[in-house]
Amino acid sequence: MTLRKKNCDEVVKDGRFRKAIQFLSAAETIRELADREDEIGDAYVTLCVHAGIAAADVICCHALGYHVQGQDHGSAIAELSRVQPDGRELGHALRVLLSNKTRAEYGEYAISADQRKRAGRAAERLVEAARQRHI
Amino acid sequence: MDFRHPLATITPTLDGQVLSVLAGADAEFTGRQVHRLLGTHSERGVRKVLNRLVEQGVVLSRKAGPANLYQLNRDHLATPWIEGLVGLRRELLERLKAEVSTWQIRPAVGTVFGSAARGEASTESDIDLLLIRPAASDDGREAWEAQLASLQAKASAWTGNDARILEFSEEELRGSAGQQDVLKAVAREGLFFAGSRVTIKRLIKRSAR
């Protein structure tokens, strides 16, 4: 599969960064407002996934000058993993999020408490790394 | 230290900036890509630097069609030092983290904020640190202040910039809306070496009540 790359300028970086913050903030808000966390688990994880993807785009833009477009998750993880010095851990965090994407968004089974926790941590890790590079 | 260009601590030339870009990813770049990521100087100047660094062996080059691809040589003896210099901002955070972890009274929150956190600080800039004293630590007031003075001196020595500490107590922030602006700035841009962004967001909510 050919790698689909989108070159980044400041507009792309800013826009993706704002979305990463917005999605993570929305995820935290619905978790705080929920009476029971398991009742909003799928929505929470979906927002974490979107936050993580946007953050990964910012990180790739900063280090590589482009980010991966499309549904090719393997390439997105591989490109992020090339970023130094923390690309491997960041790639792992993105993998955690993308592995939950389908189940959280479209699946008939609810996300488990463990998946919820891991997704939250992975999204925070990616958004924090994006913040350190972007601001 | 210039937080925008950490390699300027040893070389003020474009070479340092080019090495920073190459060190940022285990990837091959064209001269044009390096120039675009730098957003400064001429593309010709960037290519000249790349070729000079190839001569030193610290950058590898290969032809791919009409283009030359460049990559940092991760096996070169000099590379660990280049990577270390590129990561000076991270190293500062690690040192701050290690320092406060030994404190008798540990802060509820410790962050670098302002221009150093944004990576915009020059050699002339102060390094702004925010420390929040934990609730119920009034008895150790003297010890706390000695810790702050020591941290301020160390952070200045580590960087060559003047470190300035802004300090609040948790009690002081509770119920007081006066510090909302600085807390919001820290929530937005702070680099944390103690506590977390969640702690700051909680304090903002409480102080707004």
Side-chain angles (χ1 to χ4, degrees), chain A residues 32 82 128 132 135, chain B residues 26 89 118 188 197 205:
Chain A
E32 279 169 19
R82 297 166 75 176
E128 198 59 40
Q132 287 181 11
I135 58 177
Chain B
D26 197 7
R89 201 158 62 127
R118 293 193 298 273
R188 193 171 55 244
R197 214 171 295 282
K205 272 189 193 160

Side-chain angles (χ1 to χ4, degrees), chain B residues 131-145:
Chain B
L131 284 119
I132 299 182
R133 186 157 50 89
S137 61
D138 277 349
D139 291 348
R141 183 77 207 174
E142 259 180 48
W144 171 258
E145 280 170 5

Side-chain angles (χ1 to χ4, degrees), chain A residues 12-83:
Chain A
V12 175
K13 260 168 79 174
D14 282 350
R16 297 302 286 151
F17 181 66
R18 272 202 305 275
K19 289 194 184 187
I21 299 286
Q22 191 185 121
F23 283 127
L24 185 62
S25 172
E28 287 165 354
T29 302
I30 64 160
R31 194 185 57 187
E32 279 169 19
L33 293 177
D35 292 328
R36 288 180 43 176
E37 285 193 20
D38 58 346
E39 286 176 350
I40 49 84
D42 297 296
Y44 171 75
V45 170
T46 297
L47 288 166
C48 286
V49 171
H50 287 297
I53 292 171
D57 287 349
V58 175
I59 296 163
C60 284
C61 283
H62 177 85
L64 299 165
Y66 61 81
H67 69 77
V68 176
Q69 272 192 314
Q71 296 298 313
D72 183 2
H73 292 169
S75 295
I77 293 165
E79 291 302 297
L80 181 62
S81 300
R82 297 166 75 176
V83 171

Side-chain angles (χ1 to χ4, degrees), chain B residues 145-165:
Chain B
E145 280 170 5
Q147 292 175 163
L148 293 188
S150 165
L151 185 71
Q152 186 158 342
K154 285 183 178 172
S156 299
W158 291 335
T159 57
N161 303 58
D162 281 334
R164 286 193 321 180
I165 293 183

